[in-house]
Amino acid sequence: AYAVTPTISIGASASVRLGKTDKSQKWASSYSLGLDYFPSADVSYGIVLNGLGDGVQYSSNNYDILQAEGYQLPRSLEIGASMRYPSSSSLRRAILKMSLANEKIFKSSGLIYKGGIEISPYSFLHLRFGYIAGPGISETRMGFGLTINNIILDFTYYPHETSDILHQLSLSINI
């Protein structure tokens, strides 16, 4: 990310994913570009262009063998807002964060609605709960994050139609 002004930042993200089953594995990389406007330290608004690159999906063949496959990610535009409590003006760290967003996937009808809550009982531990709803999707997601210096480890799990539960693990390094 790069601060253009004291209240506006632009940024990019890159991710690499591994889809793995007993019979297959697939690596994929994707990218996003975004703009963040934060009129105060407690509230921020953002817009992100997603879907630059490839993703991993799971499917089963006629013999019910689960396969990991690559596919072209659909491009989308996501707009959202995030709020934190207590106020940063109280000079205390944020314990509760709430986020709401809408996502429009190009070449498909309808919007996807996203909401989430993050509770941080300690400065290094972040507990998360979220919900995603839209045409053909209704998913609950739960997870946690660990922050140690500039390294962030996130773990998420959620139910999925092709498997009892999917797990997602990500590692970020702030530079």
Side-chain angles (χ1 to χ4, degrees):
Y2 174 75
V4 177
T5 71
T7 59
I8 297 175
S9 294
I10 57 173
S13 95
S15 82
V16 177
R17 295 179 186 254
L18 170 63
K20 188 173 183 179
T21 68
D22 292 339
K23 302 289 181 188
S24 65
Q25 99 175 19
K26 177 65 181 173
W27 288 93
S29 60
S30 62
Y31 313 92
S32 298
L33 302 172
L35 176 73
D36 189 32
Y37 170 61
F38 40 101
S40 77
D42 304 325
V43 177
S44 67
Y45 304 95
I47 185 167
V48 179
L49 176 63
N50 292 307
L52 306 171
D54 297 319
V56 174
Q57 68 184 6
Y58 295 92
S59 64
S60 58
N61 61 17
N62 295 337
Y63 304 104
D64 291 330
I65 297 173
L66 190 62
Q67 299 282 341
E69 303 171 338
Y71 72 102
Q72 172 82 36
L73 288 172
R75 291 216 169 106
S76 68
L77 189 64
E78 188 168 350
I79 299 173
S82 181
M83 296 152 274
R84 55 183 261 157
Y85 175 83
S87 172
S88 63
S89 62
S90 69
L91 301 177
R92 296 185 298 168
R93 68 177 175 80
I95 296 171
L96 176 66
K97 295 178 186 173
M98 298 184 313
S99 298
L100 298 170
N102 285 340
E103 181 178 17
K104 173 59 182 162
I105 299 174
F106 301 128
K107 299 181 183 177
S108 72
S109 63
L111 288 173
I112 296 175
Y113 302 93
K114 302 176 180 183
I117 295 174
E118 177 182 275
I119 299 170
S120 301
Y122 304 101
S123 61
F124 63 90
L125 178 63
H126 315 284
L127 306 172
R128 300 184 180 111
F129 175 81
Y131 190 75
I132 299 173
I137 188 169
S138 176
E139 294 180 354
T140 301
R141 297 186 180 193
M142 293 174 269
F144 66 90
L146 296 173
T147 304
I148 302 167
N149 296 325
N150 291 339
I151 299 172
I152 303 165
L153 179 68
D154 284 308
F155 176 76
T156 305
Y157 63 92
Y158 56 98
H160 194 267
E161 70 264 2
T162 60
S163 179
D164 291 336
I165 242 179
L166 281 181
H167 304 273
Q168 181 173 323
L169 182 65
S170 65
L171 177 68
S172 302
I173 300 171
N174 288 334
I175 52 174

